[in-house]
Amino acid sequence: MVFDEADRIATIELEQDRDVVRARSRVADAMKECGSSELMQTRFVTAVSEVVRNALTHAGGGTLAIYAMPNKRQVGIECRDCGKGIEDIDAAMADGFTTRRGSMGRGLGGAKRLSKTFAIDSSPGKGTTVRMIGCLLYTSPSP
């Protein structure tokens, strides 16, 4: 998933907890500007919140880029960090996986379920990049 043809509409440096709120707000605004339903805003903003929080918690920060897709019917994000990376992506995506005591372990897998498109690239020592696209309107899954 590449955002070459998309318009970058914002970049947020992720340095402290309040940047999670800034990211959520800016993504919600971008979705509203494109005509998103409230349901889809809530779903995608929740997914964005998870990956941004992970960048802060596990990598000490990163960068979030927000994109309006060419058809203006979707909003995409790229969250990039320079942390230690994820050793086993499949394990990290599984429900129940957690690196924190008291966590439900639904983070990355939940973010994937709340997005239309989800891609993660990570390797130990090289950081992590998560790219997601959120739909603006709900469409029923195909039978």
Side-chain angles (χ1 to χ4, degrees):
M1 173 185 347
V2 181
F3 296 123
D4 290 342
E5 296 181 19
D7 294 325
R8 184 183 292 208
I9 54 178
T11 302
I12 298 171
E13 293 300 321
L14 306 171
E15 299 170 340
Q16 34 194 319
D17 287 342
R18 69 178 177 207
D19 296 327
V20 176
V21 176
R22 288 180 54 227
R24 289 176 59 91
S25 178
R26 190 60 192 101
V27 169
D29 289 347
M31 293 187 80
K32 285 177 200 167
E33 290 168 14
C34 292
S36 174
S37 71
E38 285 188 35
L39 170 64
M40 299 314 286
Q41 287 173 42
T42 301
R43 289 175 58 92
F44 194 58
V45 164
T46 300
V48 170
S49 213
E50 176 59 32
V51 299
V52 166
R53 172 75 50 210
N54 280 352
L56 282 165
T57 301
H58 300 292
T63 304
L64 178 74
I66 305 167
Y67 297 89
M69 304 309 285
N71 61 12
K72 303 295 184 200
R73 301 301 302 158
Q74 298 171 338
V75 171
I77 65 99
E78 178 180 81
C79 185
R80 187 179 291 266
D81 70 53
C82 295
K84 64 181 183 174
I86 300 171
E87 195 168 311
D88 185 343
I89 292 175
D90 290 336
M93 294 296 297
D95 281 347
F97 177 86
T98 184
T99 57
R100 292 179 311 175
R101 185 179 176 150
S103 169
M104 292 173 40
R106 294 208 174 104
L108 287 175
K112 181 177 181 178
R113 285 189 295 275
L114 294 171
S115 304
K116 176 180 173 112
T117 307
F118 180 97
I120 185 168
D121 181 35
S122 185
S123 54
K126 297 189 178 179
T128 302
T129 301
V130 176
R131 293 178 188 91
M132 302 186 302
I133 295 175
C135 284
L136 301 182
L137 302 172
Y138 180 77
T139 54
S140 313
S142 301

